[in-house]
Amino acid sequence: MAPHGRCCEGDHQHRDTPEMGIEYSLYTKINKDNLECLNEAVEGSGKTVFKPWEERMNFDLFVDSDADEELLFNIPFTGNVKLKGIIIIGEDSDTHPSKIRMFKNRPSMTFDDVGATADQEFQLHVDNQGTLEYATKIVTFNSVHHLTLHFPSNFGAETTRIYYIGLRGEYSEAHHHGVTICTYEARPNVSDHKNPLEDTVGHQIQ
């Protein structure tokens, strides 16, 4: 059993439908240019584990940890996410991560910051097929614009390997409306202007 949440072995074990591809499409909402993976053995390899559901078994793409077994992902989204579940695929070996710690809306975390209390954490089971989903606390992860995933340990190997990280949930666009500032008090009387058309009521801040 997975503490602090629900590990769904039944509902997701035999499901490999188009709906799963839609449910696990949050990878398309990640700002890949600013995604960071700390302690990755090959630069840029951490980004490759966020891929389509249909490619989750593509074991040509993976991330290995470098100096030790820890991995830390800083994942910025292009909008707001309601995160409902996560799937981790690793090897059927000791390199599979044994624990995940999740932090909400704390950009640019480093290994110096992971001593903080996580918003949620799970003890992981070895899963090399993507059959186990770990259900997040939706109330906690209701409005996520940045997600940090810390993998502090594995099942005994010197390094950790991950093939796929699937994120299930809902996405909404970030609102970037311009703010209209109306300077009523500071606006001179029209009679003070030679040309009233030059008077500006407000302007937009983008």
Side-chain angles (χ1 to χ4, degrees), residues 85-171:
I86 186 168
I87 286 178
I88 309 296
I89 296 180
E91 285 196 313
D92 187 13
S93 72
D94 292 344
T95 65
H96 194 292
S98 60
K99 187 175 183 177
I100 183 175
R101 306 176 67 243
M102 306 171 63
F103 300 86
K104 169 189 174 182
N105 297 342
R106 294 189 57 177
S108 303
M109 288 186 71
T110 69
F111 288 113
D112 292 334
D113 303 317
V114 295
T117 301
D119 291 296
Q120 192 168 9
E121 58 184 56
F122 297 101
Q123 298 293 332
L124 301 178
H125 301 269
V126 173
D127 181 11
N128 64 347
Q129 299 291 320
T131 59
L132 303 179
E133 180 190 73
Y134 300 88
T136 60
K137 294 181 288 189
I138 298 178
V139 173
T140 300
F141 293 93
N142 186 39
S143 181
V144 182
H145 59 79
H146 187 283
L147 178 66
T148 301
L149 303 179
H150 177 219
F151 297 90
S153 58
N154 57 30
F155 287 95
E158 294 183 359
T159 59
T160 296
R161 173 170 291 190
I162 296 174
Y163 290 108
Y164 173 78
I165 297 177
L167 304 173
R168 181 173 68 84
E170 299 174 8
Y171 173 84

Side-chain angles (χ1 to χ4, degrees), residues 187-201:
R187 188 174 66 181
N189 291 328
V190 173
S191 59
D192 294 337
H193 288 263
K194 294 180 180 180
N195 182 0
L197 295 178
E198 292 178 357
D199 184 31
T200 302
V201 175

Side-chain angles (χ1 to χ4, degrees), residues 180-184 187 198-203:
T180 301
I181 300 176
C182 298
T183 55
Y184 295 112
R187 188 174 66 181
E198 292 178 357
D199 184 31
T200 302
V201 175
H203 63 281

Side-chain angles (χ1 to χ4, degrees), residues 48-121:
T48 68
V49 302
F50 299 94
K51 50 194 174 186
W53 172 256
E54 296 77 13
E55 297 179 18
R56 70 194 183 283
M57 302 300 291
N58 177 5
F59 289 170
D60 293 332
L61 300 175
F62 57 86
V63 59
D64 283 332
S65 63
D66 188 14
D68 54 28
E69 72 276 19
E70 289 191 79
L71 284 168
L72 181 66
F73 293 85
N74 283 309
I75 308 165
F77 294 101
T78 58
N80 292 313
V81 166
K82 179 188 291 186
L83 186 64
K84 297 181 177 181
I86 186 168
I87 286 178
I88 309 296
I89 296 180
E91 285 196 313
D92 187 13
S93 72
D94 292 344
T95 65
H96 194 292
S98 60
K99 187 175 183 177
I100 183 175
R101 306 176 67 243
M102 306 171 63
F103 300 86
K104 169 189 174 182
N105 297 342
R106 294 189 57 177
S108 303
M109 288 186 71
T110 69
F111 288 113
D112 292 334
D113 303 317
V114 295
T117 301
D119 291 296
Q120 192 168 9
E121 58 184 56

